[in-house]
Amino acid sequence: MKMKLAIAGTGYVGLVTGVTLSDVGHTVTCFDVDEQKIQILKQGTSPIFEPGLEEMIRKNTEEGRLSFTTKPKIAYEEAECIFIAVGTPEGQNGSANLQYVERAAIAIAKHAKNNPVVVIKSTVPVGTNEKIEKILYEYSGHHLNVVSNPEFLREGSAIVDTFSGDRIVIGASDKAAGDRVEAIYKPLKLPIVRTDIRSAEMIKYASNAFLATKISFINEIAILCEKTGANIIDVAKGMGMDKRIGEQFLRAGIGFGGSCFPKDTNALQKLALDYDYQFKILSSVTEVNHEQKKHLFHKAKQYFQDLNGKKVAILGLSFKPNTDDIREAPSLDLIQELLLEGAEITVYDPIAMENVKKIYGDRLQYASSVSECIEDKEIAFIVTEWKDIRDTSFATYRKLMREPMIIDGRNCYSLEEAAKEHVNYISIGRKPVFFKKFQ
Ligand SMILES: NC(=O)c1ccc[n+]([C@@H]2O[C@H](COP(=O)([O-])OP(=O)(O)OC[C@H]3O[C@@H](n4cnc5c(N)ncnc54)[C@H](O)[C@@H]3O)[C@@H](O)[C@H]2O)c1
């Protein structure tokens, strides 16, 4: 059954949702309050970097199923189902800031005329969907059904994740409203989990908190590997082959960033406190992550006590590869620490550089390739494992750096390679490899 849909918010989640649902045949109008974003989208360009997204925007716009507007009336008036996918950034005391969701709900209440189901895709604390139902009633004068449908896509593989996700969660108190949302997703042929509203809201936070816990756990094991002489790659492999544990999210690194894990772990802790409960595991997860983001910096300090005036390269700025998103990215923590030490920093990222330029301006140098970034530097930090960074050979570092000292936060190389190629190589959860100078 093809439906007329509207999406509130054309960020990573809203845009991908709107574009993919139009691709399976629904007619979708995407609404955003950001005029500039909508202008860019109307020209068939994507305001965010997401593999495959721009092509899909053009195709569905040309075929007449996808449109963009800044006018709420155009988006909401005739829609049968309206997805709210606006941001829920961290607010006071770690809680989720719900002002954008509430504003979206008020606009929907004022303009919707086709008795739509309102679907909340934004990540919101337990109880929010019920609050939104009340706001809709207050501003429209009649009852509109609200369905919780949290999103699990990952930036960098958002399109693939939408078409081949593990599950779609639909939490509804009204069966017919839940059925309507289920029908929208039917063409994707993915497993559907139907729950009550509060459980759906909790599934999202519990999933993100669990994944964040896995990351902080393996990062602490990596620290112990460094101290004891074990190798984290082998340890993670041996653990991950146990099906009860699973191999994913066992890659030690320099901590989690991005727009979700940091704020969602904080929001869940705040939610727990609101219910007079202290979520003890999660406070440790956050604390470990905070420390882990400084790991590369501490390593550099360990080997070069004085970083003042040191020429350093930072390779990779986005919080993970294949996205331009730098929200809470570990690169920002490293840049901050190095600036305070007086290091001379050159950065490179294939996509996210402009976003970093907006923050740091001319306090950093910007290189247009890995080679340009590392040339003549004393230390190269690998922060994000983009393909061109991963593919850079040790021979290139040897050729271009004064005396290669590579501090790799993503374990891109094997220790055998490093030893063979005569570089100084420090990674996460493994023994350092020294060619000379630091031996
Ligand atoms: N980014 C992810 O990987 C991801 C994954 C799963 C869930 N989520 C959740 O999805 C939600 C959206 O995240 P995002 O990363 O897409 O956010 P984003 O910041 O990229 O985009 C939010 C968009 O909403 C727009 N907006 C704000 N107020 C609006 C209003 N009243 N009406 C219409 N548009 C409005 C903004 O202009 C912006 O374009 C958040 O709750 C987030 O936690 C994000």
Side-chain angles (χ1 to χ4, degrees):
M1 190 181 25
K2 304 292 184 254
M3 278 188 234
K4 214 169 166 30
L5 311 177
I7 315 279
T10 57
Y12 289 86
V13 169
L15 186 56
V16 171
T17 303
V19 173
T20 50
L21 288 179
S22 71
D23 202 62
V24 297
H26 300 293
T27 305
V28 183
T29 309
C30 296
F31 165 76
D32 204 296
V33 288
D34 185 333
E35 305 244 351
Q36 206 187 348
K37 238 181 209 181
I38 294 297
Q39 217 37 53
I40 294 171
L41 284 161
K42 279 185 169 171
Q43 286 157 10
T45 310
S46 174
I48 53 168
F49 176 79
E50 191 59 52
L53 186 60
E54 198 160 275
E55 295 82 335
M56 211 175 258
I57 291 173
R58 289 211 184 118
K59 172 177 167 252
N60 288 288
T61 310
E62 274 162 28
E63 290 172 8
R65 286 185 301 272
L66 180 65
S67 59
F68 302 95
T69 182
T70 49
K71 299 199 166 49
K73 186 175 184 310
I74 292 179
Y76 300 147
E77 196 167 53
E78 290 171 32
E80 295 162 86
C81 203
I82 303 173
F83 290 77
I84 298 182
V86 299
T88 47
E90 192 164 323
Q92 275 178 345
N93 317 320
S95 62
N97 176 351
L98 297 175
Q99 61 165 311
Y100 305 101
V101 177
E102 288 168 3
R103 277 189 220 153
I106 292 169
I108 292 167
K110 287 184 176 163
H111 295 283
K113 298 276 182 290
N114 201 8
N115 192 29
V117 172
V118 177
V119 183
I120 302 199
K121 226 174 203 327
S122 302
T123 303
V124 292
V126 177
T128 305
N129 278 253
E130 290 157 34
K131 258 191 227 160
I132 296 302
E133 209 163 75
K134 286 199 186 105
I135 290 177
L136 289 166
Y137 182 75
E138 196 184 319
Y139 284 84
S140 71
H142 56 271
H143 177 78
L144 289 175
N145 281 309
V146 174
V147 169
S148 169
N149 169 225
E151 180 54 59
F152 299 95
L153 63 76
R154 295 162 303 173
E155 287 176 24
S157 55
I159 303 263
V160 175
D161 287 350
T162 305
F163 286 109
S164 56
D166 295 324
R167 76 309 203 186
I168 290 168
V169 173
I170 297 173
S173 53
D174 180 274
K175 186 176 175 307
D179 288 348
R180 199 187 299 183
V181 179
E182 190 168 339
I184 292 169
Y185 284 114
K186 203 161 178 233
L188 298 180
K189 298 192 181 78
L190 294 176
I192 305 265
V193 181
R194 293 283 293 258
T195 68
D196 61 78
I197 289 179
R198 289 188 167 225
S199 304
E201 291 171 322
M202 184 62 94
I203 287 170
K204 176 62 193 173
Y205 277 107
S207 302
N208 272 4
F210 187 80
L211 292 172
T213 304
K214 230 176 153 184
I215 295 173
S216 278
F217 181 87
I218 201 66
N219 283 339
E220 283 211 287
I221 294 289
I223 290 171
L224 272 185
C225 285
E226 285 172 18
K227 289 185 186 293
T228 58
N231 181 323
I232 190 65
I233 303 287
D234 296 337
V235 172
K237 185 175 176 202
M239 286 171 67
M241 286 170 81
D242 185 330
K243 290 192 190 68
R244 294 168 303 174
I245 297 172
E247 63 182 22
Q248 292 196 36
F249 279 73
L250 284 186
R251 286 189 57 193
I254 42 173
F256 54 79
S259 68
C260 291
F261 287 177
K263 79 168 171 64
D264 291 349
T265 45
N266 287 341
L268 189 54
Q269 286 176 75
K270 178 65 174 56
L271 179 85
L273 282 179
D274 290 346
Y275 284 83
D276 264 343
Y277 181 73
Q278 205 198 337
F279 203 137
K280 298 176 207 66
I281 293 177
L282 268 192
S283 18
S284 302
V285 167
T286 323
E287 197 186 321
V288 168
N289 195 56
H290 189 67
E291 282 304 307
Q292 196 69 13
K293 282 177 154 190
K294 297 189 191 136
H295 203 58
L296 293 191
F297 172 72
H298 289 315
K299 293 211 180 233
K301 279 292 275 183
Q302 192 182 337
Y303 294 102
F304 301 87
Q305 283 72 31
D306 188 8
L307 295 170
N308 188 16
K310 276 263 170 303
K311 288 180 184 291
V312 308
I314 296 183
L315 298 168
L317 299 168
S318 53
F319 83 95
K320 64 174 178 180
N322 295 324
T323 178
D324 58 349
D325 201 340
I326 58 160
R327 288 178 280 187
E328 305 279 335
S331 63
L332 303 181
D333 296 70
L334 180 62
I335 290 172
Q336 203 54 45
E337 298 283 357
L338 289 170
L339 280 174
L340 284 174
E341 289 281 314
E344 282 181 35
I345 308 170
T346 306
V347 299
Y348 166 72
D349 187 287
I351 298 288
M353 212 127 69
E354 283 307 312
N355 288 335
V356 167
K357 226 180 237 179
K358 282 181 204 152
I359 304 175
Y360 289 104
D362 58 11
R363 284 190 285 164
L364 310 178
Q365 318 262 5
Y366 302 89
S368 56
S369 65
V370 176
S371 298
E372 191 188 325
C373 191
I374 62 176
E375 187 164 12
D376 245 354
K377 301 301 179 310
E378 291 156 280
I379 311 173
F381 293 97
I382 300 178
V383 177
T384 316
E385 68 279 34
W386 284 92
K387 187 173 181 311
D388 59 344
I389 295 172
R390 260 188 355 246
D391 286 352
T392 303
S393 67
F394 278 137
T396 308
Y397 284 96
R398 236 185 19 245
K399 197 172 102 200
L400 295 170
M401 284 177 75
R402 293 179 178 182
E403 189 158 339
M405 165 55 100
I406 301 154
I407 306 186
D408 179 2
R410 302 296 178 181
N411 287 348
C412 294
Y413 302 91
S414 75
L415 298 185
E416 292 71 26
E417 249 179 305
K420 223 169 41 201
E421 293 282 351
H422 298 172
V423 290
N424 296 307
Y425 179 65
I426 295 169
S427 56
I428 304 283
R430 301 185 294 178
K431 286 179 188 157
V433 175
F434 294 127
F435 170 50
K436 51 178 194 210
K437 188 172 169 180
F438 299 96
Q439 262 165 344

